[in-house]
Amino acid sequence: MTTDEPAPQPTPRRRRAAAAAAGSGDLPAARPESATSESVAPAIVGDQGTVHADRVEVSMGAVGRADAASLGVERGAVGAARADDITVHQGALGAAMASRLTLRQSVARSLLAREAHVEQSVVRTLVAAEVRLERASGVGILIARRVSGDVRVLVDWRGAAAFGAAFGLIAGLVGFRRGRRRPDRED
């Protein structure tokens, strides 16, 4: 950069964040009752930290871990979450424990919930008491007491039991044959 060129100006959002940081001498923390990624200055949490709040909303951002009464994610990502109510729309969720869980057009890895509603989403593992699947949702492993909606089962409990019995029988026969082929060695 030469001296004739003006310095690049920060965006209004960055100016507000810089002014807030300069005024307090340190980055402001999120208020305990509500933490949002839309706030003027974001909360900075260390490597071992977790966002604790009554209500956490993530919009076009990411959070490593969140522990809240209510968690809302709109086009964002959360690594691990524990909340009473979790709602994710067009986002990603690594692992979650919740009473009520709603996923719409999202991707999730491992979920544990009392009630789960999955709509146009992909989930690797879902364990819940009540599950409602709608509009071409995909679940890799589903363990639930009650499932409703558009569900296509590849392997149900009867198929899994038959597969386990057949596998055990074949493994037993192979083990039996290997034991007969070895000559008895006497030392």
Side-chain angles (χ1 to χ4, degrees):
M1 174 174 18
T2 65
T3 56
D4 297 337
E5 294 178 17
Q9 295 296 319
T11 63
R13 186 177 200 171
R14 289 186 185 210
R15 278 190 220 132
R16 287 192 304 259
S24 67
D26 195 13
L27 289 175
R31 293 173 296 179
E33 68 274 359
S34 176
T36 65
S37 64
E38 294 284 327
S39 63
V40 174
I44 305 297
V45 180
D47 290 340
Q48 299 298 321
T50 301
V51 176
H52 295 280
D54 290 336
R55 193 175 111 219
V56 177
E57 293 180 15
V58 180
S59 179
M60 296 178 65
V63 172
R65 289 189 298 183
D67 188 4
S70 175
L71 172 66
V73 179
E74 180 78 23
R75 292 184 302 264
V78 176
R82 183 173 58 189
D84 291 332
D85 187 27
I86 296 177
T87 302
V88 181
H89 182 253
Q90 294 180 348
L93 190 57
M97 269 181 22
S99 293
R100 289 172 308 281
L101 176 75
T102 303
L103 253 71
R104 288 190 177 97
Q105 298 175 345
S106 301
V107 176
R109 188 171 179 181
S110 301
L111 305 175
L112 176 63
R114 187 171 293 140
E115 299 173 20
H117 176 231
V118 180
E119 181 178 326
Q120 288 183 330
S121 299
V122 176
V123 179
R124 188 181 82 174
T125 305
L126 175 59
V127 178
E130 296 182 24
V131 176
R132 193 168 88 206
L133 298 170
E134 294 182 2
R135 297 193 194 146
S137 296
V139 178
I141 299 171
L142 174 61
I143 300 172
R145 180 172 21 138
R146 188 177 315 146
V147 180
S148 63
D150 185 18
V151 180
R152 293 185 199 135
V153 177
L154 296 177
V155 179
D156 62 354
W157 70 271
R158 288 175 231 116
F163 175 78
F167 181 78
L169 179 67
I170 291 171
L173 290 174
V174 168
F176 180 72
R177 288 192 53 109
R178 279 191 183 168
R180 295 196 63 171
R181 285 190 182 172
R182 290 185 187 162
D184 291 331
R185 294 182 184 173
E186 292 182 22
D187 290 328

